[in-house]
Amino acid sequence: MADTLNLNTTYQAIISAAKARKFIAYGEIAKAQSLDWQKVRYAMNGHLETLLGISAANDWPLLTAIVVNQDGLQSGSMVDSAMEGFVAAAKRHGRSVSSPADFVRAEQEATFEWAQTAPENLPNEDGASSAPKGAAGPRFVQYFPHVLDFLRAHGGSAEPRDVYAALPSMTVVGEDELTNKTKGGQSKFENKVGWARFYLAKAGLIDGKNRGVWALTTEGRETHLDHASSLALFKDVQSRFKVKGGGDVDDDAPAPLVIDDTLLFEDPNRRFWFVGAAWAGNDDQTDRFVDEGIWQNGYDDKFSEHVQRMQVGDRIAIKAAFTQKYNLPFDNAGKTVSCMRIKAIGTITKASTDAKTVKVEWQKLDSPKEWYFYTYRVTVVEANASDDLARRLIQFTFGDHQQDYEFWLRIPYFAKKYRPQMAVGLEPFFRDEQDETEIESDESALEEYDLDTIVHEGCFLDDHELSDAFDRLKAKRNLILQGPPGTGKTWLAKRLGYALIGTKDRKVTRKRLRSIQFHPSLSYEDFVRGWRPHGNGDLSLVDGLFLEAVEAARAEPDRPLVVVIEEINRGNPAQIFGEMLTLLERDKRREEEAIELAYRRAEGERVFIPENLYLIGTMNIADRSLALVDLALRRRFAFVTLNPRLNDRWKAWCSEHAKIDDASISLIQQIFTELNAEIAGDRSLGPQFQIGHSYVTPTTGEVIGDAREWLRQIVTTEIAPLLEEYWYDNPDRARKLTGRLLEAL
């Protein structure tokens, strides 16, 4: 065949470039053989792997290491998919690879050196074609070039019936294909042409978004195929998209639909739900749900608000979340990866009447689809179709898209985990050191943490005050606890975070709650992103804690993430947050509101703050050294003021947990109430300088034997120095108040 790549010609072109220590582009290999790149591009991968195999068999450097795309001619860098294919081929031929980038670079250098004395021709080279060997492929491959030719001849598009009518005159079609029917009632011929369209669409040559019309893409208009390149295209699509079927496609198996994304998202009110089918150790209910045409919430006290929002026409998928470490379809650097198995997809046909059950028209998948990285572990999750990451999952689940692993491995959050060479010096926001196994992981088995738990652990707010603070945090997404020193602001901030997450389990909270303290030296470059010195003497652009939190929240959208900022007004919040201050607003927490940062990693990079990222700040309003909080910050946060609480809950804590006698409790309550009244009434101080209850509240597990002596030590070493600071210009008054406290003991 005239349009066949010749191995020896390719070898000579590579050696010629290598002798000059230059890289060579794929198109240059076709040009060296006087071939049209569009006609051989699908055969190129198999052709180069054949040459790689010859190199390995002769114990040469892997010569194809210097073959790169046009943009990599100067640097020698391979695009991600090319590097992945090259490394996979090298491994198949017995080469050991620890770091793909280092391996490629080493093979390139070795090729440059070896080429200086390389033989002029391949040993025993007979000029054989590198066309795929073995089976000729399924019969529908013969239709690839004719479908393209017909559409090209008709201006680039045509109705399916016109394609079906024309093809029998363009190529040989068996009588049995034209007359026999599939189980679905379609002619076997039309079904095979449907398979051809499916593969051409997956290859990007036919646009799958036009309803009732087959239209060429720009690439399709310029692509001309023969049988060899058609077969190469078929194998390329099977390899890249893990298509099942192919050479053993059954005539009765309906050709897959090329899903139209515009139809999938045509209804702006349509929601996309991902739901579990097993709860708290119960058996998987997938088969029952499919048989009965329902989905049912197995919890009595969870997710009812989600079920009530499910409407007719919403799409729904049954999923199972787990983690996996081995046998993954990509290089995971030996780390565990979050996975999600899609077992059935459907459309809701009747909304719930009991907040538990919806009617669904299900399609159980013969072979479950597995999705990686961006997964939902919570039992019921609505995927936000306006977010690009969630949209990719929706297209994978309900459409005809395959997951692009390289895209996900370029996202900073996942790159830091699985491609550390791409993010030198950076650590992921969540540090997960567990050697996880394949387990269900919706965290339902963990001990729950809620507002009652906060009270049990020593919160002295009234129920309605605590509930209001929690509700404001959930509604506003940003909350500041302000108040005098010793009122438990940091203590409560972390526990509100635990309640939001739903557990205090350390394995969970260490991954989903981080704390930082603002101070005068903290900058935007520390908190958001800035240039930092690197070990090799260069500067690296490094993400700060807040931007890491943003990335992590977007990568795990079904679970809340919390950042606690202690002493938020000790720094300059407007300067530290920078342009991120605008994005904190609740109505700007979506991708459409994304903005560019002061320091960008790439042209056009934009960032937004996800809905599931919560900020809880603390602010000591008694510190004279602090400036007034920026009004722009105040507008973006809800503020809750904490005051000293020597109330009945405080009394019960001291009595039940610390075993302090009632007389001593009453004495503490009396003398500190009087002291705080005097502080609040002083014109130079005011209520914000009152002394908080933390000063006179025993810690968890602390039993007070002699309450009077315990209190005397607190007054002497903690209260007296504080009063001296308050009345630094009137030391006599400070001594008088201290003496009054000690006399009462």
Side-chain angles (χ1 to χ4, degrees), residues 315-364:
R315 302 304 305 273
I316 187 170
I318 294 177
K319 53 84 180 177
F322 57 98
T323 57
Q324 192 170 329
K325 190 171 184 178
Y326 304 105
N327 301 318
L328 292 163
F330 50 84
D331 181 8
N332 58 321
K335 304 289 185 63
T336 54
V337 180
S338 182
C339 313
M340 190 162 67
R341 181 172 292 129
I342 308 299
K343 298 185 285 187
I345 59 175
T347 303
I348 295 176
T349 58
K350 184 177 181 181
S352 176
T353 57
D354 59 2
K356 289 182 72 70
T357 306
V358 291
K359 292 282 189 180
V360 181
E361 181 180 325
W362 286 112
Q363 174 192 351
K364 186 176 181 182

Side-chain angles (χ1 to χ4, degrees), residues 9 61 70 141 198 345 479 527 555 572 598 600-601 658 669 699 738:
T9 305
Q70 193 70 29
V141 170
F198 170 76
I345 59 175
L479 177 73
F527 189 61
N572 182 341
R600 298 186 297 273
R601 293 195 181 278
Q669 189 178 36
T699 59
T738 301

Side-chain angles (χ1 to χ4, degrees), residues 603-623:
E603 190 68 28
E605 179 195 25
R606 293 176 177 268
V607 174
F608 71 98
I609 299 176
E611 282 273 356
N612 60 318
L613 179 60
Y614 296 79
L615 274 69
I616 309 176
T618 69
M619 188 166 70
N620 185 349
I621 56 178
D623 195 326

Side-chain angles (χ1 to χ4, degrees), residues 478-482 489-490 516-520 522 527 563-574 576-577 581 584 615-620 626-630 633-634 637 639:
N478 312 310
L479 177 73
I480 288 179
L481 302 176
Q482 62 180 4
K489 298 181 290 295
T490 297
I516 187 172
Q517 181 173 325
F518 277 11
H519 53 78
L522 194 71
F527 189 61
V563 174
V564 174
I565 304 175
E566 299 185 45
E567 308 289 0
I568 193 169
N569 58 331
R570 282 191 177 274
N572 182 341
I576 294 172
F577 278 99
L581 190 60
L584 287 174
L615 274 69
I616 309 176
T618 69
M619 188 166 70
N620 185 349
L626 306 181
L628 292 174
V629 174
D630 188 281
L633 183 75
R634 283 197 175 276
F637 281 79
F639 284 75

